[in-house]
Amino acid sequence: MSPIAETYSDLYSALSNLREHLHLAGRIDDSNAKLDEVSKILAICIAVNRGWIKADEFEALINSSQHDHRATEVLQKTFSACAKEKPFLNSDGSSIFGAFPKLNIQDNDNEFALLLSRTLYATFSRALSHARSGCSFDLINEAFGHFVRDNFRGNIEDAQYMTPPEVVDFICEWALAEIKRHDENFLDREFIVMDPSCGVGSFLASFYRKLSSLSEKAEKNVKLIGQDKVDRMVRLSKINMMLFGSEIYDIDQGNSLFNCGRLNRFNGKVDLILTNPPFGANISSAQITDEPAANYPLLGNASDISSSIDSELAFIDRELALLRDGGKLFIVVPDSTVSSRGLAETLRVRLMGKARLKGVVELPSVTFAQAGTRTKTSILYIEKRLDKSPDDLLAMAIIEDLGFQVSMRKGVAVKKYEGTNELSVLSKSLFNWPGGKGVVSENPSCIIECADDVEQKSWTASHYSAKRLRATASINAIRETEVKQLQEIVNFETKSRRRLKAEPGSKCISVLHVIGDGVINFNELMSYNPKTKGNVCFPGDILISKINPRIPRVIVVPDLGFPTTCSNEFEILSVKEGIDPYWVSYILLNKLVQDQIQSLTSGTSSSHNRIKTSELKIVEVPVPKTESKKIDMSKVVSTYRDSINSMILSSFNIYKMRQRQA
């Protein structure tokens, strides 16, 4: 186990012990209050480490048994001194810990005071050690996850899905690499970094830590601006910044989308935004239109489009307004932002009038599993630019492993470190890419494409996978064949078939009825009563499942002696003149074709992946172009057709035999 993984493992055990102790003793029932106590002890640790307060008794309490019998008294005394220090005061002079700062520990509860202080001080010390060695360890993030994550799940607008440090570090390193690539002297001027939905401040803390290790100018010329709707998050953000020695932050409580004069002052001035905003909440378009027009350059007239706007789309628009020309936005968004139609597509189109897409990194569904959701997400890198060039390039990458899985332990979702952090692998190749189009990495997949080609098509990173490029290159290399798109050899019939009325006695073929190469499970088919009517299909039609294509399901509809329909998950294809449906079925299950199909899917999770009709149409297939090659293929297809029909007939006969026995 790596040192960082070992530290996380120890932290999980320590925080679980604290939770168990609090539960058994009936102390501090509210999860938010538990986290508050943790943050207060961390504040003491910071103040002691930085020499802000004289704390001989506290240090003796941590390192020996000298004051065990008066642990509560020592802890209360130390915190009282700590809370008065300037770093823990708001701009109006009040304490970030409230009007009357005090530890919520009962008098003489020395056992709990010892457990709390020694556990957190030991973890704090290890976190500092990792920070000095350049490793990331997000102590505040993990503490939040153990104590209060569930409290926020019920309120989607305040949802706090803390970004894993693996993702935070990659984004900050990517941002730093891009900034240095284009402006090596950026620290010679004021440089504004912002997170308008900062949560516990992970992005700001990580970026500052990386930047300050490169230059002493960071402390002088960088401004770190943070804001969050929840005041507890603001307090935790400030403590997080202090953990890593930063004193240049400006973090405050407020709604970054509406009625925020504080952020309005930064319109057109921000150099870099690093953020993971709340997503899935519905924002009234009326609220958007009530804001100054400069705040929402893309969706300011959203009332003409929709009555409500997803919060992630509103944040992208607001953040675009905050950026200066040339400013960069790195944002974590749900899959719908890059793949859905409707308002998301409208935003993408309008965004390209004022900015340039520079990169998309698709993340695995486990990314936010510790936070309670397996929604698929992507990292978007957008640069605000009016001057564009046809030579502009962007990166499209797919991450399948972050080096951890998530499991439940004593009611808490915790990481189990296994596998490889592919973001770390990707950073070594992507950040050092010399330039030009090409395959940066095959595993994990990352390619560099022309921005113009991507912006006008799909923003889904998997559609540009190295596997798909390999497949199309291999197809083009096959001798005596010509490459055609699927739409050139078949007709897409699904839309027209929806208007046909099913005949009485029709049986509906579901995707779950198709087994292997074109075989039907007749037991399931004959007893299936769909809740919604299917689309009419005829013998000789080709059905290909559009849902979850990683399990290939393709079949030529056989003549079963009764009329058939198929479920809406199928695309219905009919062959063009001179094309054999069994050849199409055979070629659709070819590995090179399947690699393309599986790369062209999109969806919120692995079990809900789907390929759109428009994407299926452009799948490339090798078509024999010489007579000898066609003859060779006809023999293969004839054998394939006879084998499939034989299996279907045998399967149907066995079904009828079983029915007669019943």
Side-chain angles (χ1 to χ4, degrees), residues 82-327:
C82 168
K84 297 174 184 176
E85 290 299 305
K86 185 177 179 180
F88 300 108
L89 300 180
N90 294 311
S91 56
D92 61 1
S94 62
S95 172
I96 66 172
F97 299 105
F100 304 100
K102 187 177 184 296
L103 289 168
N104 191 8
I105 302 176
Q106 298 174 8
D107 294 341
N108 300 318
D109 195 350
N110 295 316
E111 180 187 0
F112 176 51
L114 285 170
L115 177 66
L116 190 64
S117 55
R118 288 176 178 171
T119 295
L120 292 175
Y121 190 82
T123 305
F124 167 80
S125 299
R126 293 185 71 170
L128 284 186
S129 175
H130 284 302
R132 294 188 187 106
S133 66
C135 298
S136 174
F137 184 75
D138 202 333
L139 178 58
I140 296 293
N141 201 335
E142 295 301 328
F144 178 93
H146 270 70
F147 289 114
V148 301
R149 183 170 289 133
D150 286 343
N151 287 40
F152 287 90
R153 283 189 192 145
N155 184 358
I156 195 167
E157 291 187 12
D158 295 340
Q160 301 290 334
Y161 293 132
M162 299 296 99
T163 315
E166 292 84 356
V167 176
V168 172
D169 276 355
F170 173 81
I171 289 176
C172 292
E173 289 168 7
W174 192 9
L176 198 51
E178 286 294 301
I179 292 165
K180 289 164 58 182
R181 187 194 301 266
H182 296 103
D183 184 4
E184 290 185 357
N185 301 315
F186 71 97
L187 284 178
D188 290 340
R189 60 179 175 82
E190 181 181 74
F191 192 84
I192 300 176
V193 183
M194 179 181 286
D195 185 348
S197 45
C198 63
V200 299
S202 299
F203 282 110
L204 296 176
S206 177
F207 187 80
Y208 171 77
R209 184 173 68 249
K210 296 178 188 305
L211 193 59
S212 59
S213 67
L214 295 177
S215 173
E216 295 179 355
K217 294 180 182 178
E219 192 73 27
K220 179 182 178 182
N221 291 336
V222 173
K223 293 182 74 171
L224 301 174
I225 311 297
Q227 184 158 287
D228 200 275
K229 190 176 177 182
V230 182
D231 58 357
R232 179 171 277 104
M233 295 297 102
V234 174
R235 177 163 64 249
L236 293 172
S237 292
K238 292 181 177 181
I239 292 175
N240 210 357
M241 298 304 297
M242 293 178 208
L243 275 172
F244 298 106
S246 172
E247 297 177 10
I248 60 172
Y249 57 85
D250 177 5
I251 300 174
D252 209 344
Q253 189 269 337
N255 188 327
S256 295
L257 292 178
F258 312 115
N259 303 317
C260 189
R262 174 174 178 263
L263 286 195
N264 292 352
R265 297 197 302 269
F266 291 99
N267 278 356
K269 298 178 181 178
V270 179
D271 294 276
L272 175 66
I273 295 178
L274 309 163
T275 189
N276 174 17
F279 44 80
N282 289 323
I283 306 297
S284 168
S285 60
Q287 291 178 283
I288 297 288
T289 54
D290 284 346
E291 287 291 299
N295 287 4
Y296 292 94
L298 306 180
L299 300 177
N301 294 319
S303 57
D304 298 335
I305 305 169
S306 174
S307 60
S308 64
I309 299 169
D310 288 337
S311 52
E312 62 271 18
L313 303 183
F315 268 104
I316 290 174
D317 195 8
R318 182 69 191 95
E319 286 152 0
L320 184 71
L322 289 164
L323 291 174
R324 66 169 178 83
D325 187 35

Side-chain angles (χ1 to χ4, degrees), residues 26-133:
R27 299 182 183 88
I28 317 179
D29 291 334
D30 180 68
S31 293
N32 288 321
K34 292 174 185 176
L35 183 62
D36 286 342
E37 296 312 295
V38 169
S39 66
K40 291 172 186 176
I41 302 301
L42 288 176
I44 293 174
C45 295
I46 294 167
V48 171
N49 178 265
R50 303 285 288 278
W52 293 340
I53 60 174
K54 184 177 176 61
D56 294 343
E57 289 183 334
F58 175 78
E59 292 187 43
L61 182 70
I62 295 299
N63 298 314
S64 71
S65 59
Q66 180 179 346
H67 298 297
D68 285 8
H69 63 289
R70 49 189 292 267
T72 304
E73 176 191 343
V74 170
L75 213 53
Q76 291 283 18
K77 179 180 176 182
T78 308
F79 178 66
S80 179
C82 168
K84 297 174 184 176
E85 290 299 305
K86 185 177 179 180
F88 300 108
L89 300 180
N90 294 311
S91 56
D92 61 1
S94 62
S95 172
I96 66 172
F97 299 105
F100 304 100
K102 187 177 184 296
L103 289 168
N104 191 8
I105 302 176
Q106 298 174 8
D107 294 341
N108 300 318
D109 195 350
N110 295 316
E111 180 187 0
F112 176 51
L114 285 170
L115 177 66
L116 190 64
S117 55
R118 288 176 178 171
T119 295
L120 292 175
Y121 190 82
T123 305
F124 167 80
S125 299
R126 293 185 71 170
L128 284 186
S129 175
H130 284 302
R132 294 188 187 106
S133 66

Side-chain angles (χ1 to χ4, degrees), residues 397-566:
I398 308 155
I399 301 300
E400 297 180 344
D401 189 356
L402 288 175
F404 66 81
Q405 296 299 318
V406 173
S407 59
M408 299 300 292
R409 186 184 303 171
K410 295 184 178 180
V412 176
V414 298
K415 290 180 185 175
K416 180 182 179 183
Y417 281 86
E418 59 184 41
T420 301
N421 179 6
E422 292 183 353
L423 284 175
S424 180
V425 176
L426 176 61
S427 64
K428 294 178 176 63
S429 53
L430 177 60
F431 302 163
N432 297 304
W433 182 250
K437 288 180 61 175
V439 177
V440 175
S441 168
E442 290 202 4
N443 189 23
S445 170
C446 179
I447 69 168
I448 303 298
E449 276 282 359
C450 286
D452 283 341
D453 292 342
V454 173
E455 289 175 353
Q456 303 303 321
K457 298 176 184 177
S458 167
W459 287 25
T460 301
S462 59
H463 293 185
Y464 305 88
S465 71
K467 182 169 70 171
R468 182 186 172 202
L469 288 182
R470 264 198 324 271
T472 55
S474 297
I475 286 175
N476 277 274
I478 299 174
R479 296 179 61 186
E480 298 183 319
T481 64
E482 58 181 319
V483 178
K484 290 190 176 183
Q485 293 184 345
L486 187 58
Q487 62 187 342
E488 295 180 75
I489 61 173
V490 299
N491 302 305
F492 283 72
E493 303 279 8
T494 309
K495 189 174 181 179
S496 62
R497 297 293 178 83
R498 287 177 184 148
R499 294 191 287 267
L500 298 183
K501 185 177 180 180
E503 295 183 40
S506 292
K507 289 296 181 181
C508 184
I509 304 172
S510 160
V511 292
L512 298 179
H513 299 158
V514 178
I515 309 167
D517 269 62
V519 179
I520 295 176
N521 183 332
F522 283 101
N523 284 323
E524 296 292 331
L525 170 65
M526 302 305 284
S527 61
Y528 182 51
N529 292 307
K531 293 181 180 178
T532 57
K533 77 179 187 71
N535 299 317
V536 173
C537 56
F538 303 111
D541 284 341
I542 304 156
L543 308 182
I544 178 170
S545 173
K546 293 190 293 185
I547 193 169
N548 198 8
R550 66 187 177 87
I551 304 175
R553 294 184 174 97
V554 181
I555 188 172
V556 177
V557 178
D559 188 350
L560 299 171
F562 50 79
T564 54
T565 62
C566 65

